[in-house]
Amino acid sequence: MHVTSERRLDDGVLAREFTLGEIPGTLWTPESAAPVPLILMAHNNGLPKSADRLVARARHCAAAGYAVASIDAAGCGDRPRSAADEQVRAELRRAVQAGEPVDGIFESLIGPLVENAVPEWRTTLDALLELPQIGGPVGYSGWTALGIRLAVAEPRIAAAGLFAGGYAPRAQREEARPVTVPLLFLLQWDDEGNPRQRALDLFDAFGTEEKTLHANLGGHTGTPWFEVEDGNRFFDRHLK
């Protein structure tokens, strides 16, 4: 892992940009003399780690005593995309503008993103847990499709907070039953891009015996800020 820049923010959190091979990432850590738990934080559907909402959540979580890491995995954020990826994204934009169904397009876009992203997140996790200021255990927060696959593939993840607003391909929905870690599932009741019944069915499918659903009125980007604070309390129960 190569740190390319670091700066101390006004809330005392240290933000470090790093690269791990071709993987660019950001690590936020609190001021702490002892090793702290780690939370992997991913934006829905592979949007960039620099997205304002993700950065705000990461800083708040780090200030509460966690190391928080996010990466731009293959095909996500500013990483290069294949010609096929660009074609699918162009088709998605056209269908949205025309008001046409988009589930089939999302299947061809999100499925490969998850397949390519999971190995890079696991490689990043390996490197992060070697840092002396990070002691585990590990939580996950954000993109549901990726979170499901990681929770199944990665035994070091001890708890997960998932955002229902990101499209979860059918393959990931089928994988929900083996997920047994404690789960906090956030749903925007009026999310224009994610039918609530599909989200409720996915919540029901998770195999864990400890799962909580938080549903709030409002559209896709209307998640109340207090859910970030509740998310910290969720991780406090399971990671500290």
Side-chain angles (χ1 to χ4, degrees):
M1 178 178 289
H2 175 62
V3 176
T4 57
S5 69
E6 64 177 48
R7 59 194 178 101
R8 183 72 64 181
L9 306 175
D10 54 13
D11 51 9
V13 170
L14 180 65
R16 282 173 283 184
E17 300 296 323
F18 66 85
T19 57
L20 187 61
E22 297 181 353
I23 307 169
T26 306
L27 174 64
W28 296 266
T29 51
E31 294 182 293
S32 174
V36 295
L38 171 65
I39 295 176
L40 306 178
M41 190 170 286
H43 206 307
N44 277 348
N45 294 346
L47 293 174
K49 63 182 178 61
S50 59
D52 290 343
R53 284 181 292 158
L54 185 147
V55 172
R57 286 178 18 235
R59 289 184 59 175
H60 190 272
C61 196
Y66 294 93
V68 183
S70 186
I71 65 170
D72 282 342
C76 301
D78 296 326
R79 294 280 296 278
R81 298 172 184 149
S82 67
D85 286 343
E86 293 291 6
Q87 182 176 351
V88 172
R89 290 174 185 272
E91 177 62 18
L92 177 62
R93 289 191 293 270
R94 186 204 62 77
V96 169
Q97 291 172 357
E100 298 174 358
V102 295
D103 277 11
I105 302 173
F106 267 125
E107 286 286 331
S108 60
L109 173 65
I110 304 302
L113 279 181
V114 171
E115 292 291 337
N116 293 329
V118 166
E120 295 200 349
W121 277 95
R122 297 186 75 184
T123 296
T124 303
L125 178 57
D126 289 340
L128 291 170
L129 290 179
E130 293 180 357
L131 299 177
Q133 62 266 47
I134 297 176
V138 181
Y140 173 87
S141 175
W143 183 13
T144 294
L146 175 64
I148 294 172
R149 176 62 60 86
L150 273 177
V152 172
E154 183 48 73
R156 290 173 291 186
I157 292 179
L162 304 179
F163 287 64
Y167 184 84
R170 286 184 290 272
Q172 275 67 60
R173 294 177 224 166
E174 292 298 319
E175 293 175 350
R177 297 199 183 279
V179 175
T180 57
V181 298
L183 175 70
L184 175 62
F185 197 61
L186 301 185
L187 170 63
Q188 285 301 105
W189 201 245
D190 307 300
D191 191 331
E192 56 277 12
N194 187 40
R196 74 176 66 128
Q197 190 58 54
R198 183 167 64 198
L200 293 171
D201 290 343
L202 177 58
F203 175 77
D204 189 51
F206 284 105
T208 180
E209 295 182 357
E210 185 171 349
K211 55 184 175 181
T212 301
L213 172 68
H214 285 188
N216 291 283
L217 295 178
H220 182 73
T221 61
T223 303
W225 181 254
F226 65 72
E227 290 292 2
V228 177
E229 298 169 343
D230 283 350
N232 286 349
R233 287 189 284 271
F234 166 76
F235 286 120
D236 287 347
R237 291 195 298 273
H238 301 292
L239 302 184
K240 288 185 175 180

